[in-house]
Amino acid sequence: MLFYDPILSGNRNISCGTCHHHDLASADGVALSLGEGGVGLGPARRPGPDGIVKRIPRNAPALWNVGAREYDVLFHDGRVSLSPDYDNGFDSPAEEWLPSGLNGLLAVQALFPLVAQFEMAGNPGENEIAGAVHDRIDAAWPLLAARVRAIPAYRALFAQAGIAEPQIADIANALADFMNAEWRSTDSPFDRFLAGAPSLSPAQERGLALFYGKAGCAACHAGPLLTDHRFYALALPPLGPGRTRRWDPFARDVGRMAESNRLEDAYRFRTPSLRNVALTAPYGHNGTMPGLEDMVRHHLDPMGSLARWRPAMAALPPAPGAEATDLIVWQDKREMARLRARLDIAPRVLSDAEIADIIAFLHALTGTESLAGRLGRPNRVPSGLPVD
């Protein structure tokens, strides 16, 4: 209920579920989401009466298996990770101000959309949450916890779990436990194949052989979750306002470098898991690849794909107040040259038939009964606010 309750947003108008919805395979089906100020769901979401200030700079990732123990880093740029750098055991934007009592990495991750201006917190001057965030990142979390404690139904539910006075860490732990249990998918045809059952079509078996062989996909998409959790520069077309650093004078997104401060990490982004990948288009850290074939072909010929890309390929909801920045980075010849110069994958040659076989194999990663989730979307939430 907390996941779908707008009570955790500054203006009480958006929830975690708005951008990670059951009906959209735990994502939202667009390249860059309309967060605070938007109305509606998924591809049909539009700016509300007051418009939006900015699109969310990166694609909303699917949540399949994000609670797995193999994860030691989260977000496209890895800004939340297990780390000894702070006494709390995590490296995050909150640094030493991270609340105590968090049960794991996913609980840490759950805290940050709540205090992100364009995601859930809202704009300065609109509400007490947004104002507190601009004082210091941890100032808003106690205010959100107080909102939850003020609702008798939530107090009763936390009391059943032995928590008399829920704090923000308890809320984050609950969100993480829900995500971990709800979107756990290990029942695909590929899983049955690994268990020895004849579950793949001939095309899927050919695609599997290519995936782990000639095509080289498994060099990065390895292990049970089909990700190595590392970071690579793919020369994906830039789009949107970018997740700029405080001192960046223009719209751009340097990816992992913004967190590591290492020049060699420029334009690198985390390898996504491929579980249920056929259900979670568009693809890439900014959603610029509309379909599986587009993304596969980009991996095979990154520079050719970048040259051929057109803005119409991006599934961007109309947003008149934000469209001026959608393609502004393309006007910066130096920035585009820097992006083209950073590439961690080598071109490969595959036939159209081989590409079709790889795509067939990617469809074999789609779960079955697990797709419905275990609890599903609630029809109503204790705050009484509307549920997306």
Side-chain angles (χ1 to χ4, degrees):
M1 288 187 283
L2 284 165
F3 191 88
Y4 275 99
D5 199 330
I7 195 68
L8 292 180
S9 66
N11 290 323
R12 298 175 171 84
N13 62 354
I14 187 171
S15 72
C16 306
T18 304
C19 295
H20 300 281
H21 201 279
H22 277 83
D23 291 349
L24 295 162
S26 78
D28 66 353
V30 298
L32 301 175
S33 306
L34 302 183
E36 165 56 39
V39 294
L41 184 67
R45 190 168 174 81
R46 297 292 184 268
D50 297 327
I52 67 165
V53 175
K54 185 177 179 180
R55 297 187 196 273
I56 295 175
R58 293 189 182 142
N59 179 256
L63 300 180
W64 299 105
N65 300 318
V66 289
R69 279 176 279 182
E70 288 88 347
Y71 278 93
D72 59 5
V73 61
L74 289 171
F75 286 111
H76 289 295
D77 54 17
R79 64 185 179 274
V80 167
S81 63
L82 301 177
S83 171
D85 291 348
Y86 301 98
D87 290 341
N88 51 46
F90 305 100
D91 189 359
S92 77
E95 299 176 340
E96 68 267 29
W97 298 303
L98 195 69
S100 60
L102 295 163
N103 287 344
L105 192 67
L106 191 54
V108 176
Q109 180 276 332
L111 288 173
F112 291 99
L114 311 182
V115 293
Q117 177 178 348
F118 305 111
E119 294 183 42
M120 293 178 69
N123 304 303
E126 289 183 342
N127 61 74
E128 75 281 8
I129 304 302
V133 170
H134 281 261
D135 290 336
R136 202 173 74 181
I137 191 168
D138 62 326
W141 288 320
L143 302 179
L144 290 170
R147 285 186 182 181
V148 172
R149 287 196 300 273
I151 298 172
Y154 277 129
R155 290 186 69 95
L157 287 167
F158 274 105
Q160 290 175 23
I163 301 169
E165 292 291 326
Q167 305 299 320
I168 193 63
D170 302 306
I171 292 167
N173 289 337
L175 291 170
D177 285 349
F178 168 71
M179 287 185 278
N180 179 31
E182 189 70 4
W183 284 295
R184 187 178 299 183
S185 181
T186 56
D187 60 350
S188 68
F190 178 58
D191 292 299
R192 294 194 292 276
F193 172 83
L194 292 177
S199 57
L200 301 185
S201 70
Q204 288 171 338
E205 289 196 12
R206 293 193 302 268
L208 181 150
L210 287 162
F211 188 94
Y212 286 96
K214 177 181 176 182
C217 310
C220 302
H221 293 285
L225 303 177
L226 297 118
T227 172
D228 62 1
H229 308 281
R230 296 180 181 175
F231 301 85
Y232 300 94
L234 304 184
L236 284 165
L239 181 69
R243 187 176 173 83
T244 52
R245 297 175 296 173
R246 191 176 305 166
W247 51 85
D248 278 340
F250 47 82
R252 67 173 183 174
D253 196 334
V254 296
R256 181 63 177 158
M257 189 181 87
E259 305 306 317
S260 70
N261 289 316
R262 295 164 60 92
L263 187 60
E264 58 266 35
D265 285 338
Y267 312 108
R268 285 177 169 167
F269 295 88
R270 186 175 62 82
T271 305
S273 169
L274 297 184
R275 291 287 181 167
N276 296 317
V277 67
L279 305 178
T280 56
Y283 304 105
H285 68 274
N286 53 10
T288 49
M289 293 292 124
L292 280 177
E293 182 173 348
D294 302 289
M295 195 59 168
V296 170
R297 290 186 180 275
H298 182 87
H299 280 72
L300 297 173
D301 180 18
M303 291 305 159
S305 173
L306 178 60
R308 291 188 297 270
W309 186 82
R310 295 293 180 266
M313 294 172 65
L316 280 178
E323 289 171 355
T325 61
D326 285 347
L327 299 170
I328 193 170
V329 68
W330 289 80
Q331 301 172 24
D332 188 330
K333 293 182 180 179
R334 292 183 176 179
E335 177 63 10
M336 292 301 296
R338 286 189 288 265
L339 184 146
R340 291 187 178 98
R342 294 289 297 117
L343 185 62
D344 292 327
I345 54 175
R348 293 174 182 262
V349 177
L350 295 180
S351 69
D352 290 346
E354 289 173 324
I355 291 171
D357 287 342
I358 289 176
I359 293 169
F361 169 67
L362 294 176
H363 279 270
L365 303 176
T366 302
T368 51
E369 288 84 359
S370 63
L371 296 181
R374 288 153 180 81
L375 294 175
R377 168 191 170 279
N379 293 321
R380 52 187 171 273
V381 290
S383 69
L385 294 167
V387 178
D388 282 328

